[in-house]
Structures are given as structure tokens and as C-alpha cells.
Amino acid sequence: MSLSFEGRVVLVTGAGGGLGKEYALSFAERGALVVVNDLGTDTKGGGKSSAAADKVVEEIRAKGGKAVANYDSVEDGEKLVQAVLDAFGRIDVVVNNAGILRDRSFARTSDLDWDLIQRIHLRGSFLVTRAAWNHMKNQKFGRIIMTASAAGIYGNFGQANYSAAKLGMLGLANTLAIEGRKYNVYCNTIAPVAGSRLTETVMPPDLVAALKPEHVAPLVLWLCHEQCQENGGLFEVGAGWIGKLRWERSRGQIVRKKNKPMSPEGVRDQWDKICDFTDATKPTSVQESLQSIVEVLSSLESEEGVGANLTAVAASPTLGSGVNPSAAVGQKLPPSTFHFTHTQCILYALGVGMSTKDPDHLRFLYEGSEDFSCLPTFGVIVSQASMMDGSLGSVPGLDIDLTRVLHGEQYLELYKPLPTSGSLTSEATVADVLDKGSGAVILLDVNTYSGRELVCYNQFSVFVVGAGGFGGKRTSEKAKAPVPPPKRAPDAVVIDSTTRDQAALYRLSGDWNPLHIDPSFAAMGGFKAPILHGLCSFGFAARHVLKQFANNDPSRFKAIKVRFAKPVMPGQSLQTEMWKEGNRIHIQCKVKETDAVVLAGAYVDLHASEASAEKPTQAGGLQSELVFAEIGRRVKDMGSELVKKVNAVFSWEITKDGKNAAQWTIDLKNGSGSVHRGPFSGKADVTFTVSDEDFMEVVQGKVNPQKAFFAGKLKVRGNIMLSQKLEVILKDHAKL
Ligand code: NAI
């Protein structure tokens, strides 16, 4: 479907020529009501004329579009936005585009050269955007574009004033993206290249002619469309090419030792490591950026350092196979955000064999259906992006050959039905690494969030052929285990055929491994022909259960576990056998033609039909009790190990409705550790005070403990650095 701007009111500043004119024409062509603003200055900001804006408005009107002209300077932001409201009654989009140049080598830059550039670009964008901001917030829709420049990103001779202003606009956009997010007011930044009167003095004429504004405008239109969920992005764009930019940060190096002063010599001696971008991270928020700073304090505090000890990770020896569990476990992959609309949901449903032949599949195939829904197993698609980019291979301690990776098992749990569009962010952590002799198994836990809300949890179990034999453990208490079906005839059997093009269709949902499409690649892996994705059969089996036992109601779906036993060839038929045991439906999936079991030890857990998907809260009781009970069990099982690792006493004061409700002590210092209720006779190393509700939010990973602390929800007395160690117990050992 083409992108329409029907009914949207768009303000483009500096739209009398160049890029702005092209934006105005393009928005109008797609139905927008456009305000064409231009002061009509020369390129240096001198003079004034209404002609430029008038001409563009004439052109729009001649083509049947709707537009009005405005001749205010962006320095009169309030007045300008008021003119938009007077003309069309609302404002949906602001494209901050107006600009001038006053290029001078730095020494010759006058106060006026500096000030004028800051005033028009940075201050002008601020004033116009601020005037539009509350209107956008109140109507819960707004799209803002900031126009930066490569000169700002990289610097450019003779453009000190301009570079500073342009990168200032990026800083402004970064914060607007955060403040506007929850109101559906998104702000993105572009650094365009196009031939215009601003560039004709610096570029050769044929380049000016070749780099057309119409090769930039489509990006601006997409970023300003309601379907686009991009927010806080920075894009370079020109000549029909678009690229996205982000920050990268080296792993860095701790150059200070506990109780010793930090010195410039220490910095000099570690300079290569500080600047080494091997294993670089890509922090995307102040919180992420600060996290590593806090980790440094924490690892300096404890003599030997905790899991977060950056230097220890880098320095620990890797064993023969390239797999080193102590370095890998607990490592996080860079977070990834998956943007989708109903198109991806429908494509996925087709990929796992849904068809319009079946009338009750329409709710998954047609966005206009009354109860249009996303298939629950799409939850693997939203999270797999976090590992599809190969970042697993760059985790310290996982020096593995990505071509030898097989998908062994999958667990997916949903905490609420998936939305049919939006942006979901996934955070992946290496939960454990097992040594199976012939290979290594990596357990990757992926939590996927919408904003702060946890939407689903996946555990990918990845088998790396030939990476075993490093002397690691064979099993893990963190693994979601497969469960064999009951030994009786199944309660239901569904047979469904895959098509010859099933894998070719399924891969469009994001798993681009050539094994599933390229015959020569499949041959290298020892297969006669490209094989079907294991997760495609997984999708088939899950929807068979959903239809058979839950009336195709996605809100009944809670979780699914499968082990991938054998490959399926596209075109073969899948036979799903199902056994109902309470709310658990055991499944086994076979290829009908060969009787080979392809999904083993599998089950789907459903919510009881009348119960809502929400977890019941205990009447009157404290939710945190369950958590402490669970931690108590873990401490019983592995107390000595934890005492060795943590060596501290944590005291908790849990409040309810503002009053003290319970006190708990987690003693990981004395004997083999214990958890008990009531006051602690000795001295706690650190005491936390938190409400029952906030405690649950933190434990469930909905709120980051540091954020809770900074927001005053979590109070800490004693050795605050120990809270890092607490994460080891809460996060790694109590997946609650
Ligand atoms: P342009 O000179 O053709 O367009 C800028 C327009 O802004 C002009 O029509 C001018 O009258 C208007 N303007 C100047 N001061 C104003 C004010 N105070 N209030 C309202 N309007 C005002 O230049 P072009 O190339 O189309 O540039 C558009 C934007 O893109 C500018 O912000 C520029 O810095 C930026 N940019 C352009 C690049 C390019 O390759 N063309 C490269 C990087 C950034």
C-alpha cells in the first residue's frame, strides 16, 4: 500500500528551494496539507522575499495539492507554528530544514558568523519544534526531522560554526526522541547530500546536477509517516542511498587499581587497549553507558572482581576449543530493536502455512479482520534479530565457527499477546554453555520488551558442532528441558502439508541462512536439498495446538518448548500428535511420508480458558514472598558456590502501602548460606528498602535496579557496590 499523508498537516521550514521545496512537493502530492515556510534570504542569511515560498505554493496548487505560504523566520518559531494552526487547525509533522552558510576558516570566524549560524540552525529548530511540541503530545502523534550534516558528524574545513550547530541538532534530537516516545512523537535526524544553491559553491556542477533532492525526500516522508516506528535515528542520505549511523565504544581498559591514584602514565601505558575496537559495544542510552562505569567501580571494589570484571574477561585463557564458559556466561549481546507492522505478522503466518482456505485463519492473514491478531510464535521472530547479525560469535569466550551452528531447542513464553505492529527491543544474555563432547551447547536467554514492559522470553539452545571437549558441565539448571509425551495414543492428530516453497517463504520473516534456499550451500552441509527451518515446523505445530485446543485464541497461548530432532524437506507433510494433560498439550511432530520424528519432547502450555493472562496476585499476601522462597531453594542447592562468589549478607525491608511489611536476610557469607525471614542477628553488608510492587518489577526485569535506585524507589544503605553481586543471584539464578 502506498504511504498516504491525507489529513496530515506538515510544516517544512526553508521550503522555498533546494531540499525543502522537494519535501513540500512530495508531501502535498500524497495528500498532506503543507505549510511552505521560507524567509527568502540569500545563502548567507541576507535579504528577505516572499517570492520563493509563493512559487512553491503555486506549483503545489497547480498540481491539485493544498498548501499555504509563510514568510516568517524560524527565529519566530511561535509565530510560525501559530500560522500553521491558523491555516489548518493542527500540526503533525515538522521538518526543520531552513539553513544558511557562513563558511570561514576557524581563525577568521567572526562573532556574527558564529551567532547567525547557531541562531538559524540550532536555535531556530529549537524554537519551531518547541512551539509544535505540546500540540503533538496532546494529539499523541508527531514526527520531527532535524537536518544535520556530514560536516557536523565528521567535521569539515572552514565550517566550524556550521559543524557545531548541525551536531547540536543531533543532540537535541536524541533527547526529543526520549521525551516524545511515549506520546508517539518521534524525532529523527538526517545528514543529506544534494545539489542545491548551498552546495553549488563547493561541488562541481555535474555533481550538483546529479545529486537530486528527490533522492532525499523519500526518506523524510517515510520517517514522518505514522507507520514508521523509527525514533532517535541518524541517517546519511544522498543519490538514492540511505545508511544509518550509531555510536561504537571500545571495550576500554581499567587503568586504576583499588586504593591507588590514577596516573597519566597509567593511561599512556594502556593507550592501545583503550583505543582497541575489538569487541566494541554499541551503547544506545545513558543508562547503558553508565552501567559499565558502575561495573568498573564494582569490580575495583571487590578484590578479584565479579563477573563484570572487564579485564578479567579479556585476560582469562580460552581453552582449546575456543569456548570458555566462565568468560561467556552472563555476557550480553548488544540490544536489538525489531520494528514491524501487520505486514510482517501476515508474512509470518503465511510462512508457517496459514491459508485463506481455512476461514478461521483470516484473523491472522487479513489486517482488516475484526479480531486481527499476531500468531504467538512470532515471538521468536521479534527476538531472533538479536542473534542473527552474528554477534554471538563476538562474545568473549565464544570463539566459535558460526557456520557450524545448529538450532537445537527452543523455548518461548509470552507474558501478553503480541501486538500486530510496533517496536520491540530484545536483550540477549548467554545463560550457560554446556559441553556435550561432540559439540558445545550455548543457552541464550532473550528478554523482549515493549518500552519497559516484558513481552516475551525466549531461550535459544544453539549447538556448535565440534566445539565440545573443553571440560565443561553437561547439564544446566537454567535449561528449559524437553518433556516426553505420555505413553498412550494421542488425543488429537493434525496432518498438514508444507509447500515446495515453504522455506523460501518462511525465510522472508528474517532467517536468511542460505541452508534453506541455496542447493549448493545445503550440499556443503550434507543435505540433498535445502531444508525447512526448524522454527517453521515449530510454527506449524504451535498453530495446530492453538486451533485444536484454544479455538485459535492467541491470548490462551502461554509457552512452547521443542527439540529439533530431524530436518524436514519443503513439500513434505507434517503430522502433529497432541496429548492434553491439564493446561499442557504435549506434542510430537513427524514427517508423514517417512514417519521420522522431527519435533521431540515438545509441549505447548495454555492459559485456562476463563483465566486472564495476568498472573493472579496473592490476596493480602506479599508477592515478594514467593521470590524469597525461590531464592531460598536456590541457596539450599548451591549455597557454598554462592558464598564463595558473593561473600556478603543482604538485608531486605519490604514495604506495602508505605508500611514495613516484611524483613528478609539473604546470608551468603556464613556457612553454606541461608535465606530467612525476620531481623538478622549479625550485621548486614547492605540493606535495601523497597515496596513489594517495585521489588517484583525489579526481579522480573521490568525495571532496571539502577533506574529504580535513581528514581528513589529502591533505597540502599551500606555497601552499595554489592548490589552488583545481587544481580548475580536475582538475574542468573532466579529466572522467576
Ligand atoms: P537551500 O539554500 O536551497 O535551502 C535553504 C532554505 O532555507 C532557503 O530557501 C532559505 O531561504 C531558507 N532560509 C534561510 N534562513 C531562513 C530562516 N531564518 N527562516 C526560514 N527560512 C530560511 O539549501 P539546501 O541545500 O536545500 O539545504 C537544506 C538544509 O539541508 C539546510 O539545513 C542545510 O544546511 C542542509 N544540508 C544540505 C546539504 C546539501 O547537500 N544540500 C548537505 C548537508 C546539510
Side-chain angles (χ1 to χ4, degrees):
M1 257 205 309
S2 63
L3 298 172
S4 160
F5 284 87
E6 209 68 49
R8 293 285 181 211
V9 175
V10 176
L11 165 65
V12 183
T13 69
L19 286 162
K21 172 181 173 186
E22 185 60 34
Y23 304 153
L25 290 168
S26 308
F27 276 114
E29 201 174 299
R30 286 167 184 267
L33 308 165
V34 182
V35 175
V36 178
N37 156 268
D38 206 294
L39 185 60
T41 64
D42 62 29
T43 52
K44 291 198 164 77
K48 223 171 150 168
S49 145
S50 57
D54 284 341
K55 263 190 151 160
V56 176
V57 169
E58 266 166 41
E59 195 174 330
I60 291 174
R61 290 191 181 151
K63 289 182 177 158
K66 292 201 179 70
V68 298
N70 170 280
Y71 323 114
D72 291 322
S73 166
V74 287
E75 292 195 80
D76 290 319
E78 285 288 343
K79 204 171 146 209
L80 210 169
V81 168
Q82 191 55 49
V84 178
L85 298 172
D86 290 346
F88 296 123
R90 57 185 285 139
I91 181 160
D92 298 297
V93 172
V94 170
V95 183
N96 288 296
N97 168 76
I100 55 168
L101 284 179
R102 293 178 76 94
D103 293 357
R104 295 267 191 286
S105 61
F106 181 55
R108 296 179 52 220
T109 304
S110 70
D111 288 6
L112 186 66
D113 293 331
W114 179 266
D115 290 345
L116 266 181
I117 290 290
Q118 309 304 319
R119 273 169 45 194
I120 306 305
H121 291 275
L122 182 54
R123 191 158 189 274
S125 301
F126 155 66
L127 290 167
V128 173
T129 307
R130 189 183 59 182
W133 188 253
N134 279 339
H135 300 283
M136 292 180 166
K137 252 173 81 174
N138 292 340
Q139 73 200 12
K140 298 250 169 3
F141 179 82
R143 295 289 184 267
I144 298 160
I145 298 291
M146 295 292 170
T147 308
S149 157
I153 299 170
Y154 307 107
N156 197 23
F157 192 93
Q159 293 197 306
N161 51 357
Y162 182 75
S163 311
K166 285 304 196 189
L167 213 58
M169 291 173 70
L170 175 66
L172 173 60
N174 286 341
T175 292
L176 295 189
I178 293 169
E179 292 193 13
R181 177 170 286 131
K182 74 170 186 227
Y183 303 102
N184 190 18
V185 176
Y186 298 164
C187 182
N188 288 288
T189 306
I190 61 162
V193 184
S196 76
R197 63 180 203 168
L198 278 194
T199 45
E200 68 192 4
T201 50
V202 287
M203 284 187 206
D206 39 348
L207 200 57
V208 170
L211 295 173
K212 296 195 187 333
E214 54 259 46
H215 299 147
V216 174
L219 169 66
V220 170
L221 264 73
W222 165 240
L223 289 172
C224 293
H225 196 270
E226 63 201 26
Q227 272 180 23
C228 179
Q229 296 299 307
E230 184 70 37
N231 185 23
L234 169 63
F235 302 88
E236 283 188 74
V237 51
W241 166 87
I242 302 166
K244 183 170 181 180
L245 286 84
R246 67 182 175 191
W247 292 99
E248 189 176 59
R249 182 171 71 180
S250 72
R251 265 190 91 72
Q253 181 66 18
I254 302 176
V255 294
R256 153 172 107 84
K257 292 218 165 61
K258 191 178 178 187
N259 299 332
K260 295 229 173 79
M262 185 169 164
S263 71
E265 293 76 16
V267 178
R268 174 196 60 200
D269 296 343
Q270 301 286 354
W271 194 245
D272 287 349
K273 283 202 176 129
I274 292 169
C275 302
D276 178 357
F277 275 87
T278 318
D279 296 332
T281 58
K282 299 168 186 79
T284 56
S285 65
V286 170
Q287 284 74 20
E288 263 178 58
S289 146
L290 269 181
Q291 176 116 17
S292 42
I293 304 282
V294 175
E295 282 171 2
V296 168
L297 291 175
S298 152
S299 71
L300 283 171
E301 183 67 26
S302 58
E303 290 294 354
E304 15 4 85
V306 209
N309 186 336
L310 305 171
T311 41
V313 168
S316 53
T318 340
L319 296 163
S321 72
V323 173
N324 177 4
S326 61
V329 174
Q331 291 286 335
K332 292 185 172 17
L333 269 50
S336 71
T337 301
F338 184 82
H339 306 286
F340 65 108
T341 64
H342 58 80
T343 310
Q344 280 82 3
C345 304
I346 296 171
L347 191 62
Y348 174 77
L350 290 169
V352 299
M354 292 212 124
S355 155
T356 52
K357 275 192 293 209
D358 198 336
D360 49 293
H361 285 177
L362 264 196
R363 74 180 287 178
F364 301 104
L365 293 177
Y366 173 41
E367 72 288 1
S369 316
E370 210 178 318
D371 48 3
F372 178 59
S373 312
C374 183
L375 269 177
T377 45
F378 187 66
V380 297
I381 303 293
V382 303
S383 69
Q384 73 184 5
S386 57
M387 50 181 300
M388 283 298 165
D389 60 0
S391 44
L392 198 56
S394 50
V395 169
L398 291 186
D399 186 7
I400 52 170
D401 178 355
L402 287 176
T403 61
R404 316 207 64 190
V405 160
L406 297 174
H407 197 168
E409 296 177 18
Q410 183 71 26
Y411 177 79
L412 161 70
E413 184 165 347
L414 298 185
Y415 302 107
K416 54 181 298 198
L418 294 169
T420 53
S421 66
S423 295
L424 299 175
T425 301
S426 293
E427 293 173 4
T429 310
V430 178
D432 221 336
V433 181
L434 309 178
D435 186 351
K436 297 281 185 186
S438 60
V441 168
I442 302 167
L443 294 181
L444 195 67
D445 280 347
V446 186
N447 281 318
T448 300
Y449 299 87
S450 167
R452 281 177 172 189
E453 195 180 6
L454 185 60
V455 176
C456 64
Y457 159 72
N458 275 274
Q459 185 175 72
F460 292 82
S461 172
V462 176
F463 192 83
V464 192
V465 181
F470 51 86
K473 55 182 181 176
R474 281 190 76 85
T475 54
S476 167
E477 79 280 3
K478 290 178 201 156
K480 297 281 179 187
V483 183
K487 291 194 172 52
R488 57 179 164 89
D491 300 322
V493 179
V494 171
I495 297 171
D496 207 351
S497 52
T498 67
T499 69
R500 170 67 224 233
D501 289 320
Q502 205 71 54
L505 182 58
Y506 180 83
R507 63 194 293 277
L508 303 182
S509 284
D511 185 341
W512 303 100
N513 188 338
L515 177 63
H516 306 291
I517 186 98
D518 181 341
S520 48
F521 196 92
M524 277 190 322
F527 298 103
K528 281 204 307 284
I531 60 172
L532 193 62
H533 303 69
L535 281 177
C536 180
S537 316
F538 163 96
F540 267 78
R543 67 174 178 73
H544 292 158
V545 174
L546 199 66
K547 178 168 172 125
Q548 194 72 31
F549 292 99
N551 200 22
N552 271 333
D553 175 1
S555 71
R556 296 273 316 277
F557 186 96
K558 180 165 183 265
I560 178 169
K561 168 76 197 183
V562 309
R563 185 164 69 77
F564 302 108
K566 282 228 166 78
V568 177
M569 304 318 266
Q572 288 182 323
S573 299
L574 290 170
Q575 172 170 330
T576 307
E577 301 166 347
M578 298 169 255
W579 292 260
K580 180 165 169 28
E581 298 268 288
N583 287 327
R584 173 160 291 181
I585 315 296
H586 293 271
I587 37 184
Q588 171 165 280
C589 212
K590 292 177 174 167
V591 167
K592 184 169 173 285
E593 290 82 359
T594 62
D595 210 34
V597 174
V598 290
L599 299 182
Y603 62 85
V604 169
D605 284 340
L606 297 172
H607 293 290
S609 50
E610 51 296 311
S612 78
E614 296 292 314
K615 270 193 199 152
T617 38
Q618 291 200 312
L622 297 171
Q623 301 181 66
S624 53
E625 272 175 32
L626 298 172
V627 178
F628 284 108
E630 177 62 22
I631 296 175
R633 280 193 285 276
R634 303 287 161 101
V635 168
K636 221 176 193 169
D637 286 353
M638 43 192 308
S640 323
E641 197 184 310
L642 288 172
V643 167
K644 248 204 313 223
K645 206 163 170 183
V646 177
N647 192 35
V649 178
F650 303 92
S651 168
W652 288 87
E653 290 168 2
I654 304 293
T655 63
K656 177 107 187 160
D657 305 325
K659 294 195 198 84
N660 274 349
Q663 187 170 355
W664 288 91
T665 306
I666 306 176
D667 180 351
L668 295 176
K669 198 174 204 168
N670 303 297
S672 55
S674 62
V675 174
H676 66 265
R677 195 170 179 157
F680 182 58
S681 49
K683 189 178 165 309
D685 293 293
V686 56
T687 303
F688 303 94
T689 308
V690 63
S691 75
D692 193 41
E693 296 79 22
D694 291 334
F695 178 82
M696 293 309 291
E697 300 256 289
V698 170
V699 176
Q700 292 170 356
K702 292 186 187 163
V703 173
N704 162 320
Q706 271 151 266
K707 271 198 192 153
F709 174 70
F710 287 120
K713 290 181 171 172
L714 177 70
K715 299 203 172 59
V716 188
R717 294 197 305 275
N719 185 348
I720 183 169
M721 288 310 157
L722 286 170
S723 43
Q724 285 290 323
K725 296 194 177 185
L726 192 71
E727 270 191 59
V728 177
I729 324 170
L730 289 181
K731 275 212 173 139
D732 291 1
H733 296 279
K735 181 99 212 101
L736 294 156

